[in-house]
Amino acid sequence: MRRGSLSERTIKCSKPGCACAQDPKARHGPYFSLTHAVGGKTRSRYLTAKQADLVRQQIEAGHKFRGHVDALWEAGEQWADSQLADVSASPGEAKKGGSRRISKTKSSRKSKPS
């Protein structure tokens, strides 16, 4: 399993006599890259075509796993909600208001301009 995305690109080189400058079908590649987030930063690395095939399968397995985990979370939350519905609050606990807050008077002095 793997998180991230796989991209496939073809590029145009800077050589003026190369066919890729005029014909998009003659561009160089394909080049594959795997991109994923690590510690809040995006990391990318180039892959061979053979590696890209394996990574594609790993990403798909990760998506399936994520779907199963999301379904488990949903079922757990539904069960937790049903427990909440079964518990009846006592009359004293359900009242709004709580304890009275005592506020302190603020100083009447104004701050000095900087």
Side-chain angles (χ1 to χ4, degrees):
M1 289 183 290
R2 173 182 296 279
R3 288 185 262 185
S5 62
L6 181 67
S7 59
E8 179 179 340
R9 299 183 187 125
T10 56
I11 61 167
K12 179 170 63 169
C13 71
S14 60
K15 296 178 184 175
C18 187
C20 70
Q22 276 75 36
D23 185 10
K25 291 182 181 179
R27 291 192 175 164
H28 302 280
Y31 296 103
F32 300 95
S33 64
L34 169 65
T35 305
H36 63 285
V38 176
K41 295 185 177 187
T42 303
R43 305 275 169 118
S44 294
R45 72 183 214 200
Y46 286 105
L47 305 171
T48 65
K50 198 179 249 188
Q51 290 172 327
D53 288 337
L54 179 59
V55 166
R56 192 174 287 115
Q57 293 170 8
Q58 292 170 341
I59 290 172
E60 180 60 33
H63 287 175
K64 286 180 184 177
F65 177 75
R66 173 68 79 165
H68 294 306
V69 170
D70 288 344
L72 285 172
W73 272 111
E74 184 65 31
E77 288 172 350
Q78 287 175 1
W79 177 72
D81 286 343
S82 70
Q83 282 188 320
L84 285 177
D86 292 344
V87 174
S88 61
S90 67
E93 291 177 17
K95 287 184 182 177
K96 189 175 179 181
S99 62
R100 194 169 163 226
R101 181 175 167 184
I102 302 171
S103 63
K104 295 181 182 180
T105 45
K106 295 182 181 176
S107 173
S108 62
R109 292 175 31 181
K110 294 183 180 179
S111 62
K112 295 179 183 179
S114 18

